[in-house]
Amino acid sequence: LAKYRVVFLRHGESQWNKENRFTGWHDVTLSQKGVEEAKAAGQLLKKEGFQFHQVYTSVLTRAIQTYNYAAEEMGCHYLPVTKSWRLNERHYGALQGLNKSETAQKHGEDQVKIWRRSYDIPPPPLDPTDARNPANDRRYADVPKDALPLTECLKDTVVRVIPFWHDHIAKDILAGKNVLVVAHGNSLRSIVKYLDNVSEKDILELNIPTSVPLVYEFDSNLKSLGSYYLGDQEEIRKKMEAVAKQGAKK
Ligand code: 3PG
């Protein structure tokens, strides 16, 4: 029998999701559709009776905005929110800003899939002198410089996300708190890989849809008993397929 649960939420559609550009640590806002998606997630969580004690987000605007719009619907703006760079999207290196389809035209769909979904092959890194080096961004001032990435594969993302899971999120859950985690496609893929022990091969096919609440249930040792998405399952399947197709040539 399930003893604990947690809800994960990928942010709603961002401006760069809409433009189909690699985003990573680039800070963009939600698109109008993303705002509507975030509100819909809040309404759904409310309708299903979810009530939270603690919220976690990344330090990227699209995740924070998603929580704020959802909170408005749930009437829970008062909740404590802990923001951490460790929940950020995977850093997309020198691909950040490029259009995903155009990149597939140029380098091939297979290469783009490797960059997007492989476990241990990172995209080409940002040049350290690039103005976009996270070391130049004051929001990361407290992060040790050697922990700040110039690119990341999923394996690198796992290395910085999972300690945060153990040190903060898992502790709260075990203390009986209902926790909502609002994060990103690949930071959530890292957590799912860890919780379900997904193989490096199977993780290639895992796509997380925008702004659909993902509920995990656990036993008393926080061992995963399974997970499910809230909402219309056919719609959710289409949304996941759309994410996978972002890397297709036009
Ligand atoms: C991005 O950073 O571009 C997206 O948020 C996730 O992208 P992906 O689905 O291409 O990994």
Side-chain angles (χ1 to χ4, degrees):
L1 207 69
K3 169 111 196 257
Y4 302 112
R5 64 183 180 181
V6 66
V7 178
F8 298 110
L9 186 63
R10 180 181 177 191
H11 62 82
E13 183 194 74
S14 74
Q15 199 51 42
W16 278 20
N17 288 146
K18 185 176 169 189
E19 295 171 22
N20 201 20
R21 296 163 81 177
F22 290 101
T23 316
W25 283 31
H26 182 77
D27 202 20
V28 284
T29 55
L30 294 180
S31 67
Q32 194 49 49
K33 179 179 164 193
V35 170
E36 297 310 323
E37 285 180 323
K39 289 182 184 171
Q43 287 160 9
L44 185 56
L45 286 165
K46 184 179 177 186
K47 186 177 127 230
E48 298 290 327
F50 283 83
Q51 288 185 331
F52 299 102
H53 301 105
Q54 171 71 44
V55 180
Y56 289 93
T57 72
S58 69
V59 293
L60 295 169
T61 302
R62 56 197 189 269
I64 299 165
Q65 281 187 309
T66 297
Y67 170 62
N68 286 338
Y69 283 110
E72 183 111 8
E73 302 302 317
M74 292 187 281
C76 65
H77 265 130
Y78 62 88
L79 288 175
V81 181
T82 301
K83 300 177 184 130
S84 174
W85 70 277
R86 289 182 182 272
L87 292 174
N88 271 15
E89 180 55 289
R90 172 265 292 266
H91 196 292
Y92 249 123
L95 298 180
Q96 287 185 183
L98 301 180
N99 179 283
K100 294 177 189 177
S101 294
E102 287 168 15
T103 307
Q105 296 278 17
K106 192 162 164 198
H107 297 279
E109 291 183 1
D110 291 348
Q111 180 61 59
V112 167
K113 182 156 180 193
I114 288 169
W115 282 333
R116 293 183 72 210
R117 293 291 173 264
S118 75
Y119 185 58
D120 53 6
I121 304 175
L126 277 182
D127 189 290
T129 63
D130 193 304
R132 297 172 295 170
N133 183 334
N136 298 324
D137 188 336
R138 57 191 288 266
R139 98 183 67 193
Y140 305 116
D142 291 342
V143 182
K145 290 275 175 285
D146 58 1
L148 290 174
L150 294 167
T151 187
E152 288 182 304
C153 57
L154 191 67
K155 192 177 176 186
D156 300 323
T157 312
V158 166
V159 166
R160 56 134 159 121
V161 172
I162 300 309
F164 189 80
W165 166 263
H166 289 299
D167 293 348
H168 300 274
I169 305 173
K171 273 192 186 150
D172 279 353
I173 298 169
L174 288 166
K177 292 184 187 173
N178 295 338
V179 177
L180 172 65
V181 181
V182 187
H184 303 263
N186 296 292
S187 50
L188 292 175
R189 284 175 73 239
S190 300
I191 297 178
V192 166
K193 181 175 190 309
Y194 171 74
L195 292 177
D196 289 338
N197 209 1
V198 181
S199 71
E200 293 179 21
K201 180 169 158 283
D202 290 346
I203 200 67
L204 258 113
E205 307 309 325
L206 182 79
N207 289 287
I208 310 251
T210 49
S211 210
V212 182
L214 172 59
V215 184
Y216 263 80
E217 295 186 327
F218 303 103
D219 70 8
S220 56
N221 296 314
L222 222 58
K223 189 178 157 311
S224 168
L225 297 174
S227 64
Y228 55 94
Y229 282 106
L230 293 182
D232 180 328
Q233 299 300 306
E234 182 53 21
E235 282 300 310
I236 295 166
R237 198 190 54 76
K238 282 191 197 147
K239 282 185 101 167
M240 291 164 124
E241 228 170 68
V243 174
K245 283 211 183 101
Q246 285 170 353
K249 295 183 198 169
K250 271 271 148 53

